């Protein structure tokens, strides 16, 4: 299902009707006393309905398509719920490059889905580094560090980019051609040593994705002797070196700032959920969760307190956003493995499992909550941290 503006409006109208109905019901009760369905802390006003939390990034309205590739975005403009994380699905053709640029308000993380990518980044510590990435590798570029991305070799590449701000796009991306083409040719001549006439004839627009020579040469060790070459600190081989956990119904690979120190605003998870399996009920006390579906299909269900639950289906190419602290679970409802790339806006991973929580309390107390027998309370499934 695609979340369009039209769908949001429909949801908003329904929510208004819901509020009116709920308010008239609450009005007939004594304020501050719990009704059968409400919380005693509601104070008489019904909470807003949960918003749609799935967005179809690959088929979304906003995108860039050109000879060298394409880019589809999910920022706050397309997906307003996702304030803390934005995403871009980018394809580059052989020979194409995403021009030199930086992001003033966000760090950039990416996972390579197809092909090979070469990046060069300059850091304020005076070093630069060039790294080559294959499928399953991730990069992290801190906020404001200048970088470029280039398709490596003679096959196209595809990567998923995540930013640690939902607002990264508007006014937040600074491109070198945009700057140079809008700056005085005389000043540029003084700044670079090239003739002013050259700068005067530049098209006054941003290149964004350009076409160049296909890069096949080995990764350069030192492009300019005047600029020290840094270590490969921006690269982590997530599929190879991520912390692996296997479960009855799937598996996870994790990379946090503990394994990849520069990635200090995000934690990433690659999760596989097999057909019929669920990712158990849990929540994250320290982070919002952003998911991208690499393949397969499923359903996500969230719990937002006040009796509010919402379930939405998703499939390949869609993203989901779960607010910090919201309870949730995932079901694989399809016939193939549900493969997810998951980002959290925190340098370390934390989760709390419903099963853990129940088992941490006395069986009698748990039995009294739900009216179950002591035997039932004593035989609840134990912690499984994951997928079964
Ligand atoms: Mn970038
Ligand atoms: Mn989760």
């Amino acid at each position: 299902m695609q979340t369009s503006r039209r769908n949001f409006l429909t949801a908003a109208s329904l929510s208004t009707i819901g509020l009116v109905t709920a308010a008239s019901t609450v009005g007939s009760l004594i304020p501050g006393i719990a009704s059968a369905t409400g919380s005693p802390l509601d104070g008489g006003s019904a909470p807003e309905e949960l918003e749609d939390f799935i967005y179809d990034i690959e088929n979304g309205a906003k995108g860039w398509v050109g000879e060298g590739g394409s880019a589809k975005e999910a920022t706050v403009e397309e997906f307003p719920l996702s304030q803390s994380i934005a995403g871009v699905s980018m394809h580059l053709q052989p020979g194409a490059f995403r021009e030199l640029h930086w992001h003033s308000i966000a760090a950039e993380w990416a996972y390579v889905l197809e092909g090979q990518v070469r990046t060069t980044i300059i850091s304020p510590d005076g070093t630069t580094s060039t790294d080559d990435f294959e499928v399953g590798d991730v990069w992290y570029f801190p906020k404001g560090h200048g970088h470029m991305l280039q398709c490596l070799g003679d096959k196209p590449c595809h990567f998923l980019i995540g930013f640690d701000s939902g607002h990264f796009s508007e006014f937040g991306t600074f491109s070198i051609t945009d700057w140079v083409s809008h700056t005085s040719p005389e000043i540029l001549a003084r700044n670079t040593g090239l003739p002013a006439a050259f700068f005067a004839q530049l098209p006054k627009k941003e290149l964004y994705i350009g076409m160049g020579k296909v890069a096949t040469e080995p990764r350069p060790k030192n492009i300019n002797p005047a600029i020290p070459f840094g270590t490969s600190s921006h690269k982590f081989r997530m599929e190879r070196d991520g912390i692996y956990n296997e479960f009855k119904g799937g598996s996870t690979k994790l990379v946090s700032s503990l394994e990849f120190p520069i990635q200090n605003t995000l934690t990433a998870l690659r999760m596989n959920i097999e057909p019929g399996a669920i990712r158990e009920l849990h929540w994250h006390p320290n982070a919002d969760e952003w998911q991208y579906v690499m393949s397969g299909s499923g359903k996500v269900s969230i719990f937002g307190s006040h009796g509010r639950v919402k379930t939405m289906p998703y499939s390949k190419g869609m993203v989901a956003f779960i607010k910090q602290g919201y309870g949730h679970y995932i079901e694989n409802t399809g016939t193939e493995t549900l493969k997810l790339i998951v980002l959290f806006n925190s340098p370390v991973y934390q989760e709390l499992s419903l099963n853990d929580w129940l088992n941490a309390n006395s069986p009698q107390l748990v039995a009294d909550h739900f009216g179950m027998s002591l035997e039932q309370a004593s035989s609840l499934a134990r912690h499984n941290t994951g997928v079964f």
Side-chain angles (χ1 to χ4, degrees):
M1 195 187 93
Q2 187 177 334
T3 303
S4 64
R5 197 164 291 278
R6 186 190 173 93
N7 285 343
F8 272 117
L9 287 174
T10 309
S13 319
L14 289 173
S15 142
T16 307
I17 295 163
L19 283 173
V20 170
T21 312
S24 55
T25 310
V26 170
S28 66
L29 300 170
I30 300 164
I33 301 296
S35 69
T37 55
S39 152
L41 304 177
D42 283 353
S45 61
E48 287 177 26
E49 283 197 14
L50 296 175
E51 296 171 86
D52 285 352
F53 59 90
I54 305 277
Y55 177 74
D56 189 348
I57 187 171
E58 299 290 358
N59 294 299
K62 192 173 174 190
W64 188 99
V65 180
E67 182 194 2
S70 65
K72 292 288 182 105
E73 283 188 0
T75 71
V76 288
E77 198 178 314
E78 299 83 27
F79 190 29
L81 185 65
S82 187
Q83 293 286 317
S84 57
I85 298 179
V88 173
S89 171
M90 186 172 286
H91 292 262
L92 293 178
Q93 294 298 318
F97 58 90
R98 171 74 180 91
E99 72 164 296
L100 275 70
H101 66 280
W102 75 92
H103 307 285
S104 65
I105 61 167
E108 172 174 325
W109 179 96
Y111 179 98
V112 179
L113 292 159
E114 283 173 40
Q116 293 177 285
V117 187
R118 173 168 293 170
T119 70
T120 295
I121 180 164
I122 188 156
S123 304
D125 68 1
T127 65
T128 183
S129 55
T130 295
D131 292 294
D132 292 349
F133 296 81
E134 296 174 17
V135 171
D137 295 343
V138 303
W139 67 72
Y140 184 94
F141 301 151
K143 184 192 297 182
H145 293 201
H147 57 276
M148 76 89 200
L149 320 169
Q150 182 176 27
C151 185
L152 186 62
D154 57 4
K155 296 201 170 57
C157 63
H158 179 203
F159 41 93
L160 179 78
I161 305 175
F163 294 93
D164 63 0
S165 166
H167 297 261
F168 96 95
S169 191
E170 326 81 59
F171 318 115
T173 295
F174 292 67
S175 297
I176 198 164
T177 57
D178 193 22
W179 191 9
V180 168
S181 69
H182 291 95
T183 298
S184 151
E186 289 70 31
I187 294 292
L188 288 166
R190 285 171 59 187
N191 198 80
T192 65
L194 296 180
F198 168 77
F199 294 108
Q201 53 82 45
L202 286 178
K204 293 204 181 307
K205 64 183 178 72
E206 182 185 2
L207 180 63
Y208 192 67
I209 292 175
M211 287 300 287
K213 188 171 174 291
V214 173
T216 52
E217 72 275 13
R219 183 170 75 99
K221 290 277 183 284
N222 199 354
I223 291 173
N224 185 336
I227 301 174
F229 211 64
T231 57
S232 294
S233 59
H234 305 90
K235 175 179 174 178
F236 188 83
R237 308 212 66 186
M238 186 176 181
E239 287 294 342
R240 197 191 69 180
D241 300 332
I243 295 175
Y244 182 68
N245 272 302
E246 193 163 340
F247 306 103
K248 194 176 151 200
S251 61
T252 55
K253 268 176 199 159
L254 178 104
V255 54
S256 73
S257 61
L258 302 177
E259 298 76 44
F260 186 28
I262 203 168
Q263 185 191 275
N264 62 4
T265 61
L266 295 168
T267 291
L269 201 56
R270 262 279 298 108
M271 180 179 293
N272 288 347
I273 305 175
E274 297 307 326
I278 64 165
R279 165 81 177 98
E280 69 171 319
L281 276 69
H282 67 283
W283 71 99
H284 307 282
N286 67 339
D288 296 327
E289 173 170 345
W290 186 93
Q291 304 175 0
Y292 171 86
V293 184
M294 286 169 67
S295 63
S297 57
K299 281 184 190 170
V300 184
S301 191
I302 63 171
F303 167 56
S305 77
H306 296 281
R308 299 174 304 167
V309 294
K310 188 162 188 163
T311 302
M312 293 185 75
Y314 64 0
S315 55
K316 183 176 174 170
M318 296 188 185
V319 297
F321 184 81
I322 301 155
K323 283 185 185 171
Q324 179 173 323
Y326 276 41
H328 55 283
Y329 64 90
I330 309 167
E331 291 174 87
N332 183 342
T333 53
T335 54
E336 58 177 308
T337 305
L338 176 59
K339 293 187 174 179
L340 303 170
I341 296 171
V342 187
L343 286 174
F344 302 92
N345 61 333
S346 163
V348 291
Y349 182 74
Q350 290 184 350
E351 75 168 53
L352 287 165
S353 130
L354 180 84
N355 284 348
D356 261 357
W357 195 23
L358 290 171
N359 281 297
N361 281 279
S362 90
Q364 185 61 56
L365 186 84
V366 172
D368 292 342
H369 269 71
F370 297 101
M372 63 177 73
S373 70
L374 200 55
E375 289 68 37
Q376 285 174 317
S378 305
S379 65
L380 289 168
R382 297 281 160 178
H383 176 79
N384 213 332
T385 324
V387 191
F388 58 95

